[in-house]
Amino acid sequence: MIAFPLVGATILLVFNRYTNRWGHLLGVAMSLASFVVAVLAFVELLGLPEAQRRQAVHLWEFIPGMVDMGLLIDPLSIAFALLITGVGSLIHIYSIGYMSHDPDRRRFFAYLNLFVAAMLLLVLADNYVGLFIGWEGVGLASYLLIGFWQFKPSAAVAAKKAFVVNRVGDFGLLVGMFLIWTTFGTLAFAELKPITAENPTTLAIGLLLLLGACGKSAQLPLQSWLLDAMEGPTPVSALIHAATMVTAGVYLVVRSGAFFFPEGSGAALAVAVVGAATLLAGAIIGCAKDDIKKGLAGSTMSQIGYMMLGAGLGPVGYAFAIGHLITHGFFKADLFLGAGSVMHGMNDEVNMRKYGGLRTYMPVTFATFFIGYLAIIGFPLLSGYFTKEGIIETAVHAQPILGWLAVAGAGITGFYMSRMVFMTFFGEKRWEKDAHPHESPTVMTVPLIVLSIGSIFLGGYLILSNRLMDWLAPAVGAPAARPEFHFTSTTGLATLALVAVGAAFAWYKYGRAEVPAVQPRGSFLTTFARRDLYGDAINESLIMRPGQWLTRLAVFFDNRGIDGVVNGLAAGIGGSSGRLRRLQTGFARTYALSILFGAAILTGALLLVGNI
């Protein structure tokens, strides 16, 4: 699974322009080959008894005395591998059409392959060191893909911002790994057993791992990079920033469940609180964005917040969190690629105020986008309905306040996603004069159709009868009591009612009424959302400017303190030597006279002392 895309990336990067004609085909073939291997591994694992569904694959001794390099094939890792390679392959195929006119298309596919290889290593590694190598690999690939169009200053800045913000989270993950090693003497997942009682060390480990997860999954307070990352090509947004990489934090929390339980631990509560706060923050941001991709980016923050909330609820929430992660991979990739299809037909325009009435010009894009929209708002019987409702229901019972905040977030989701659909596909035409909307080619619409099918059926299949929960049990544990999905629960009905209210309000504001061509000024709350909840301003005030002052102070101390002492000592010695040098004339008679006078003075001094 890992070798195929890694070889593909190597060939495309090493042979460079010689692969321009067929490089994209090689990239797709390597991703599809990896998917085939993942399917075969899944089938093989499915044929084993439940107790044997944790297969270790030893590769080589890596760090003697600390950790060996190996892979872990279990229900959790194979679920991620199928998502990464399956959805990843569809995005590779879509990219053939989307990037068809880009002169560096071969390099783009090399980076896509590199990302898939790194992401697979992240989820398949059997220890934290291997996971961290994959973790940094996807960070590198993300940096390269966000800044792929580096001739745009905004893309270069966005790539750098994503790289720097993620380093903060990576620092937390590294320190957490150090603590795990010093406390337990191992970094292998199989050797870490669930703790029986939380203590300050295990709490610190859990919080540090959560910090790492917040960086990679764009959760508060490390969310500021995600919306800027939309500067990359749209397939990047679909693959990395919707379907796979940003879900790595959820994987880390679930895989590290030993440090987040027993139930009610401080670390687990912190995960749930971060998830609830982020799902609301992302939803609020999505309400005010006119850029279709940034609106979907805010939605990604919000939906991953739901996953983190579920992951903070223990084994009973794991299945719903992972289920939502998988279904989200389908319907969010569907939405992002649908947005890319709209951009493809609208001269790369991203401002939804310049769309309108596109459903008749792009029928396949509209139909598939609409299915993704219904799935993400939790329309009954579609994928998102089962997984999101499972998280909300579990949260209301375990953490009522957080659960009802999740219900409110669902209502906001109904508003901002309906707003996006109405502004893009309904209403009057608001196009620029040179816009000629048209349906995308088949190579782009077929992946949309496949993803929309998964957005319809996958959630019900995974959640009903607890199929996913039973599948994941050998890897993450089983809850004390198996939950039952209730179609008419109080929270479920309340959620649907709020979603309907949000959709109706969006229709009132953007479906029935004319959409202004220029963004209105809006209220304070609207400005708050448009500026990403002032995340950049907060980072600038609390981190960047104090960091600048600290740097200037350090430079001043270095120049005037350390360098001042060293340079002053050197100058003093130099000045003294310059003055003493004048005593050395180079004439023997002068030196003889000096010796004579010196001897006379010395003799006189001795005689004087002797007389006394």
Side-chain angles (χ1 to χ4, degrees), residues 486-523:
H486 300 286
F487 288 90
T488 57
S489 66
T490 302
T491 54
L493 294 176
T495 301
L496 289 177
L498 280 180
V499 169
V501 169
F505 186 59
W507 175 82
Y508 175 77
K509 291 280 291 182
Y510 301 97
R512 182 189 64 87
E514 183 179 351
V515 177
V518 179
Q519 187 182 69
R521 182 176 181 179
S523 64

Side-chain angles (χ1 to χ4, degrees), residues 142-161:
S142 176
Y143 171 80
L144 295 172
L145 285 165
I146 295 171
F148 181 76
W149 289 324
Q150 67 267 27
F151 55 84
K152 295 167 55 180
S154 57
V157 170
K160 182 174 66 174
K161 182 178 181 181

Side-chain angles (χ1 to χ4, degrees), residues 159-183:
K160 182 174 66 174
K161 182 178 181 181
F163 195 82
V164 171
V165 173
N166 272 272
R167 297 292 72 72
V168 178
D170 295 352
F171 176 77
L173 176 56
L174 266 179
V175 176
M177 290 167 54
F178 298 158
L179 271 180
I180 293 171
W181 169 253
T182 55
T183 305

Side-chain angles (χ1 to χ4, degrees), residues 358-359 362-371 421 425-426 439:
L358 292 178
R359 68 186 185 280
M362 310 179 73
V364 177
T365 298
F366 166 67
T368 54
F369 193 97
F370 196 75
I371 291 171
V421 169
F425 295 103
F426 292 89
E439 189 58 89

Side-chain angles (χ1 to χ4, degrees), residues 202-346:
T202 55
L203 175 61
I205 292 173
L207 294 178
L208 287 166
L209 295 179
L210 174 59
L211 180 61
C214 287
K216 199 64 73 180
S217 293
Q219 300 292 283
L220 293 172
L222 300 179
Q223 84 291 351
S224 61
W225 65 271
L226 184 61
L227 277 82
D228 295 284
M230 296 303 106
E231 289 291 339
T234 302
V236 175
S237 304
L239 178 62
I240 295 181
H241 307 123
T244 54
M245 189 193 84
V246 289
T247 61
V250 181
Y251 171 81
L252 177 64
V253 171
V254 174
R255 179 63 82 186
S256 305
F259 301 109
F260 293 97
F261 288 91
E263 294 185 15
S265 68
L269 180 60
V271 172
V273 169
V274 166
T278 307
L279 74 87
L280 284 175
I284 292 171
I285 289 172
C287 291
K289 294 297 181 183
D290 291 336
D291 184 318
I292 188 171
K293 289 176 64 178
K294 290 191 175 183
L296 290 173
S299 171
T300 298
M301 280 177 54
S302 181
Q303 298 305 307
I304 296 174
Y306 277 100
M307 301 172 207
M308 294 292 282
L309 173 60
L313 301 175
V316 69
Y318 285 165
F320 295 119
I322 299 300
H324 196 56
L325 186 152
I326 294 171
T327 57
H328 176 265
F330 277 82
F331 60 68
K332 185 52 67 66
D334 179 22
L335 290 168
F336 261 117
L337 296 185
S341 181
V342 170
M343 293 166 57
H344 183 78
M346 293 291 289

